[in-house]
Amino acid sequence: MRVTFRLNGEATVIEAEPRQSLADAVRAAGFTGTHHGCEHGVCGACTLRVDGVAVRGCLMLAVQAEGAEVVTVEGLDAPDLKAAFVRHNALQCGFCTPGMLMTAAELLESGHVPDRAEIRDHLSGSYCRCTGYQAIVDSVEEVAQARHGAKP
Amino acid sequence: MTQIGRALPRPNARRLVEGAGRFVGDLTPPRMLHAVFVRSPYAHAVITGMDLDAARAAPGVVAVYDGADMATQITPWVGVLTHMVGMRSPPQPALAVGHTHWQGEPVVMIVASSRALAEDAAELVTVDYDPLPPVTDMEAALAPDAPVIHPDLGSNLCWEKRIDVGAVDVAFADPANTVVERRFVFGRHTGVTLEPRVITADYDAAQDQLTVNYSGQVPHMMQEVLATHLGLPQSQVRIVAQDVGGSFGIKIHTYGDEVAACAAARLLRRPVQFAADRYESFQSDIHARDHRVTARAAMAPDGRLLAVDVDDITGIGPYSVYPRSSAIEGNQVINLIGAPYTLPAYRARLRVVFQTKVPTCQYRAVGHPIAMAVMEGLMDDLAAATGRDPVVLREMNLIPDDAYPVRSPQGMLYADLSHQACLTRLKELMGYDALCAERDAMRARGVHRGIGIVSMVEITNPSPMFYGVGGAPVAAQDGAVVRLDASGAVHLSSSVTEQGQGTETILAQIAADVLGLRAEDIRVQTGDTAHMPYGGGTWASRGAGIGGEAMRAASVALRAQVLELAGAVLQCPPSALALAGGAIIDAASSTERMTLRELAQMVYFRGNELPAGQAAELIASRHFRVEGMPFVFSNGAMASYVEVDVETGLVTLLNHWVVEDVGTILNPKLVDEQIRGGVVQGIGGALFEECLFSDDGQLLTATMADYLVPMAGEMPDIEIAHVVTPTSTSALGAKGAGEAGTSGASGAVMNAVNDALRPLGAQISQMPMTPERILRSLGLVP
Ligand code: FES
Ligand code: FES
């Protein structure tokens, strides 16, 4: 089926089988930053944003994205967050990282400064097998504070 | 500024946060096919018939292969090490031939133009099975009347080892001594790398060349394994390992499905990709641990540890995994028990047992968490039995920091360790006395908190005495190449691979220091057998200690070339020159004489300006292996602080502290984050992770919803401090950090839970410590 949507800011038309997931579709379109860790909605590696909301790309069908605004990690405009991840070494293998960034970006746009417990809670749908999470929490906390004018 | 010791960020991290990783599944060469496997639904069965016609006729299907087809392409492998005397394992085919031995064993491979079409066709395969009795329980498997999985072997025992040193019986018989005994049960875990196993094989018939992109840690081992079992000259097999989405030891083994995908690529002369889905990962990635350990310890009235006696039985599935063998884990358990302590007498028996379950093999911190949890559990029991403080009892028995080298009763040679310093630092870091007071005050209010301490030893940087002597094609050394280009840029290549631990960054830091550059200015390549020096790759925490040492030596050799050439050009002895800031400087005055770029351009472009006979060479390679010691051990101490809800059985992690001695610290940020990640994997084993099977051998935890791993919300912040004792086996002094966190964390959490339970008269000795098991230990559920 033909699906027309905006993908990372560009008008995009793809041919998708009805059973194809959105994660598979964006990967096939060349945005391989969206990863498959489980394909059943648990690990969070496939998280992308559809109309501003973080969704699991493995649980959404490509055809459901008709007319939507889809953003993957490649199109995620959060240089401060990405830089903080690098600075804090908040990633090791980097496989979870796109999903983590998409999830964290959503929290950071919520308009308040979350504390560490809230950050941990918000990220609990995204598995990281490498890092131990602490550096990720440090990064998100620092960006949240910086965006609200607090000193890091 | 020296580069070693700087908390430099990783260049590859920048790429990964932009979603620009190059994971194997991201590569889709033209005409690529997808392989999908039909796997055995039974733990143990005879294959009586198969109908593959419907699958062959399905849309998009290019080929369908069964075990017999693959047996004509792939020779079977045997996962035994010859130095582990008496070890047995039968030949293992890539796909089951006639007989299946675990639920999930690959039976039929479908190759089709898309994964979805291959999966559709897999649904059309019919395989007839005659189920055989499953052999699931490791102890029952040894009973005389147990069904024998491999009839030719006569029993289900893969390997047995005994150690008996010192007056063990005397120590246990003397009534003046305190004796404690416990039976521990350690569940099966698996690695759950976030990126499942994936391989893309491509065969170039014109050159008879197989190129394999794989998500793994050991390119040269894979080259050897594939060449041998596919019958290709090794020079015709190229392995490329770029970004790897987690490995933890899971991705250093030989998997039949991966080898079969390579065989299919050769047969079909097209690229073939196999990417395990998560369900397949749980059924086919190696599992690990799975031990039952009965252990006792005897202590003199003055608190001196006298003897430990251990019986470890471990289930490994139906085959010892090739080529490293599945017996190393148990061997390390019995070799490491008691390692931090002065232990005069030790007895151990290890039995490694075949079962009809997913094969087990090496996973991060092989055997360590079992050994540490057992010994540290016994130490806490001894402390409790005699009313001693657990830290004081450890302080009395730790091998003194000035006593090395020391040989343990198991024959392990320990050097350059720092148990006393680590424990002292740990006490400071955690504020031990105040924490004990807080715990006691909370207890008085009915809040059940506990503190758990662990001292630990980790095996890192193995020498050839580990696998090489046993006949496994696993290189014990690593190689490094350092080259200066005409631009003045320095390029490194190494046989150690990068999985996010920061290999490439630390190698750059090492070379930068030797060559007077900034690490940021150096380019590093890893993970391609066509371009890298030969070496072992990444396992057993050897990247820094072995790969790094090779890089240091190669850099020193390049520096000598540079200085000699510069001396010839500048007409002064090389010893009067040094390198700094990308330039050749006068050693005495530090004034710049010429830049590296100027020298390189003269050498490469205007060699006529060099004195006749002067070698015009700006590239050096060196290899390094550990000599004189079988391993370079690292050590540390850890503490965990938990709260147990005695009504729900839930454990809340309040704090976790680690003091680790990894020798010279090359990059503190990378080391600390590796330790944290390791701690969280250890906590996973302590509280959450378990591969559960039904009695008939069906895997019950085959999705991420069933198999729990630690998530951000449950994990505490983890405080880390270091003691630095460089290893005397190398100039750099780096030991390994990869096992560090995982080794001790689960024991620390178990000790903390038991400290919380002790006033209630309860104890738990089974991991993971699920709420149900905790309630059972309290007698609250049957
Ligand atoms: S791949 Fe979608 S949640 Fe795991
Ligand atoms: S960095 Fe490897 S899974 Fe998170």
Side-chain angles (χ1 to χ4, degrees):
Chain A
M1 291 170 72
R2 169 174 292 222
V3 186
T4 306
F5 59 128
R6 288 184 73 78
L7 179 52
N8 292 331
E10 284 180 20
T12 304
V13 183
I14 59 165
E15 270 306 317
E17 276 190 68
R19 65 177 169 180
Q20 191 176 32
S21 72
L22 181 58
D24 273 330
V26 301
R27 287 179 59 79
F31 292 108
T32 52
T34 300
H35 295 150
H36 287 308
C38 68
E39 296 174 89
H40 51 247
V42 183
C43 74
C46 63
T47 305
L48 35 69
R49 295 178 80 183
V50 178
D51 292 334
V53 180
V55 302
R56 312 240 138 165
C58 70
L59 293 185
M60 183 169 168
L61 296 170
V63 293
Q64 292 175 290
E66 177 67 36
E69 180 83 42
V70 177
V71 177
T72 71
V73 70
E74 291 94 335
L76 175 67
D77 182 24
D80 52 349
L81 180 62
K82 289 177 175 177
F85 264 54
V86 172
R87 199 164 50 247
H88 287 279
N89 195 41
L91 63 150
Q92 289 183 29
C93 76
F95 200 76
C96 70
T97 310
M100 281 289 177
L101 289 167
M102 300 309 283
T103 309
E106 185 184 49
L107 175 66
L108 287 167
E109 285 164 25
S110 65
H112 71 296
V113 180
D115 64 15
R116 290 179 78 80
E118 188 185 347
I119 296 169
R120 284 187 176 276
D121 200 49
H122 190 85
L123 296 178
S124 271
S126 292
Y127 289 18
C128 178
R129 258 322 241 185
C130 304
T131 64
Y133 300 108
Q134 187 164 336
I136 299 174
V137 177
D138 292 345
S139 304
V140 176
E141 184 181 41
E142 184 185 290
V143 172
Q145 289 174 352
R147 284 194 191 174
H148 285 80
K151 278 200 284 293
Chain B
M1 182 184 191
T2 57
Q3 305 291 301
I4 287 177
R6 283 178 72 193
L8 279 182
R10 294 150 41 210
N12 58 335
R14 292 198 192 102
R15 202 160 46 69
L16 292 164
V17 297
E18 297 300 344
R22 291 187 295 264
F23 297 95
V24 178
D26 301 341
L27 311 170
T28 46
R31 300 179 68 240
M32 187 177 86
L33 300 169
H34 296 258
V36 155
F37 292 86
V38 176
R39 295 172 184 273
S40 172
Y42 294 101
H44 199 195
V46 172
I47 299 169
T48 55
M50 244 183 234
D51 184 352
L52 307 178
D53 291 345
R56 286 203 169 98
V61 171
V62 175
V64 178
Y65 302 109
D66 65 10
D69 299 328
M70 281 296 109
T72 66
Q73 303 296 314
I74 304 167
T75 55
W77 42 84
V78 179
V80 300
L81 294 173
T82 52
H83 68 310
M84 303 180 93
V85 178
M87 194 180 164
R88 307 149 350 133
S89 187
Q92 182 179 359
L95 301 186
V97 180
H99 192 165
T100 66
H101 297 89
W102 82 89
Q103 186 234 324
E105 183 172 5
V107 175
V108 173
M109 174 170 55
I110 317 274
V111 188
S113 56
S114 80
R115 169 122 165 235
L117 291 173
E119 285 176 1
D120 290 346
E123 301 277 313
L124 304 174
V125 167
T126 343
V127 182
D128 300 318
Y129 295 95
D130 228 345
L132 293 169
V135 182
T136 55
D137 184 90
M138 59 174 99
E139 282 166 284
L142 290 182
D145 57 348
V148 177
I149 300 171
H150 306 294
D152 289 353
L153 299 182
S155 82
N156 294 319
L157 186 68
C158 167
W159 192 51
E160 177 162 2
K161 177 176 169 173
R162 289 170 191 264
I163 299 171
D164 197 346
V165 177
V168 175
D169 290 328
V170 176
F172 284 104
D174 187 339
N177 296 336
T178 301
V179 172
V180 295
E181 177 166 343
R182 236 160 122 180
R183 178 175 156 89
F184 297 83
V185 177
F186 298 94
R188 272 182 173 234
H189 323 166
T190 183
V192 197
T193 58
L194 205 58
E195 174 203 39
R197 290 185 297 110
V198 51
I199 194 162
T200 306
D202 196 0
Y203 180 71
D204 175 350
Q207 301 185 68
D208 191 24
Q209 159 105 29
L210 180 71
T211 301
V212 179
N213 280 274
Y214 103 119
S215 171
Q217 309 164 238
V218 286
H220 284 107
M221 187 203 91
M222 276 301 276
Q223 182 189 38
E224 172 89 29
V225 165
L226 290 175
T228 302
H229 293 280
L230 292 170
L232 281 164
Q234 212 200 70
S235 57
Q236 300 299 94
V237 178
R238 175 183 174 197
I239 308 290
V240 183
Q242 292 300 305
D243 289 328
V244 174
S247 45
F248 320 121
I250 295 300
K251 295 175 179 172
I252 56 174
H253 308 292
T254 305
Y255 292 97
D257 45 26
E258 295 180 11
V259 183
C262 295
R266 179 156 65 149
L267 284 167
L268 299 169
R269 303 188 170 196
R270 287 179 68 174
V272 174
Q273 183 171 92
F274 163 62
D277 65 22
R278 184 56 60 185
Y279 186 58
E280 288 182 293
S281 304
F282 280 113
Q283 291 181 323
S284 64
D285 288 8
I286 60 108
H287 291 180
R289 320 296 187 220
D290 205 11
H291 293 256
R292 292 179 198 161
V293 182
T294 304
R296 50 187 191 135
M299 187 183 82
D302 63 2
R304 274 177 308 115
L305 190 62
L306 296 174
V308 171
D309 183 4
V310 179
D311 186 284
D312 178 13
I313 174 164
T314 177
I316 60 162
Y319 296 101
S320 170
V321 175
Y322 179 73
R324 288 162 193 263
S325 94
S326 302
I328 292 280
E329 157 101 2
N331 195 45
Q332 290 195 177
V333 170
I334 63 169
N335 277 342
L336 284 175
I337 284 177
Y341 303 107
T342 303
L343 177 61
Y346 183 70
R347 178 183 295 154
R349 171 158 79 148
L350 166 69
R351 281 167 298 167
V352 178
V353 181
F354 294 119
Q355 312 155 289
T356 54
K357 289 180 174 174
V358 180
T360 74
C361 203
Q362 284 92 316
Y363 160 56
R364 193 173 198 169
V366 181
H368 296 61
I370 314 295
M372 303 307 140
V374 167
M375 188 64 211
E376 297 302 301
L378 293 176
M379 290 303 280
D380 273 13
D381 289 354
L382 288 169
T386 55
R388 286 185 162 86
D389 179 89
V391 170
V392 172
L393 183 69
R394 285 175 173 81
E395 284 168 342
M396 290 173 64
N397 283 288
L398 287 173
I399 297 170
D401 291 353
D402 59 4
Y404 297 101
V406 166
R407 197 172 284 280
S408 76
Q410 295 95 328
M412 309 287 270
L413 186 60
Y414 295 119
D416 312 315
L417 301 186
S418 58
H419 290 296
Q420 292 177 320
C422 285
L423 189 56
T424 303
R425 184 78 185 85
L426 181 71
K427 266 172 70 177
E428 277 166 32
L429 186 70
M430 65 193 285
Y432 182 67
D433 295 333
L435 197 71
C436 289
E438 180 188 300
R439 170 199 60 191
D440 295 344
M442 296 298 281
R443 268 182 196 168
R445 300 189 351 226
V447 177
H448 303 282
R449 292 195 173 176
I451 301 169
I453 309 271
V454 160
S455 284
M456 59 200 176
V457 166
E458 300 110 19
I459 291 178
T460 74
N461 297 0
S463 80
M465 299 305 288
F466 199 40
Y467 288 116
V469 292
V474 176
Q477 51 72 56
D478 272 290
V481 176
V482 186
R483 118 183 161 240
L484 178 63
D485 277 1
S487 66
V490 168
H491 293 260
L492 313 181
S493 58
S494 167
S495 56
V496 175
T497 56
E498 165 79 57
Q499 289 88 44
Q501 73 278 51
T503 300
E504 295 179 356
T505 305
I506 60 147
L507 293 177
Q509 289 178 273
I510 292 165
D513 263 0
V514 175
L515 298 170
L517 293 168
R518 296 187 323 146
E520 295 89 322
D521 297 334
I522 294 179
R523 292 288 157 269
V524 187
Q525 298 286 322
T526 59
D528 185 338
T529 58
H531 302 297
M532 306 310 153
Y534 201 93
T538 302
W539 46 277
S541 297
R542 59 204 298 291
I546 297 180
E549 189 66 18
M551 189 56 73
R552 191 201 63 81
S555 305
V556 168
L558 178 71
R559 181 176 62 190
Q561 291 172 357
V562 168
L563 295 180
E564 191 193 315
L565 279 157
V569 172
L570 299 168
Q571 302 194 334
C572 68
S575 59
L577 301 170
L579 298 181
I584 295 135
I585 60 171
D586 182 85
S589 67
S590 294
T591 49
E592 183 176 315
R593 302 295 305 274
M594 68 193 301
T595 64
L596 284 179
R597 179 185 158 90
E598 284 163 352
L599 177 74
Q601 300 217 329
M602 180 179 291
V603 169
Y604 289 121
F605 302 151
R606 305 189 308 278
N608 56 305
E609 293 176 20
L610 298 175
Q614 174 66 49
E617 196 173 34
L618 290 170
I619 183 167
S621 73
R622 288 291 184 273
H623 286 250
F624 179 77
R625 70 179 192 281
V626 172
E627 288 179 274
M629 302 276 294
F631 306 98
V632 175
F633 295 95
S634 63
N635 71 284
M638 256 190 222
S640 185
Y641 187 40
V642 306
E643 185 172 309
V644 180
D645 182 329
V646 297
E647 261 147 40
T648 62
L650 283 167
V651 175
T652 305
L653 299 158
L654 301 171
N655 264 310
H656 202 98
W657 301 267
V658 182
V659 178
E660 187 65 37
D661 186 344
V662 297
T664 304
I665 295 171
L666 303 174
N667 184 320
K669 184 137 240 155
L670 300 182
V671 167
D672 286 0
E673 289 312 313
Q674 253 204 86
I675 291 173
R676 288 199 175 95
V679 165
V680 168
Q681 284 192 7
I683 289 173
L687 294 176
F688 307 110
E689 299 184 37
E690 188 168 25
C691 303
L692 289 167
F693 290 81
S694 66
D695 288 344
D696 58 358
Q698 294 287 317
L699 181 64
L700 302 175
T701 48
T703 72
M704 274 187 168
D706 302 308
Y707 183 96
L708 304 183
V709 303
M711 293 189 295
E714 294 140 350
M715 291 302 107
D717 281 345
I718 297 161
E719 275 186 69
I720 296 177
H722 296 277
V723 168
V724 177
T725 313
T727 167
S728 49
T729 58
S730 71
L732 204 53
K735 305 168 181 172
E739 328 293 318
T742 308
S743 300
S746 42
V749 174
M750 183 179 254
N751 279 353
V753 168
N754 280 322
D755 186 41
L757 296 179
R758 196 167 292 113
L760 302 165
Q763 186 176 61
I764 182 162
S765 302
Q766 180 169 10
M767 289 186 200
M769 295 176 281
T770 60
E772 185 187 348
R773 287 173 183 154
I774 287 181
L775 293 178
R776 197 173 300 135
S777 76
L778 286 160
L780 295 176
V781 299

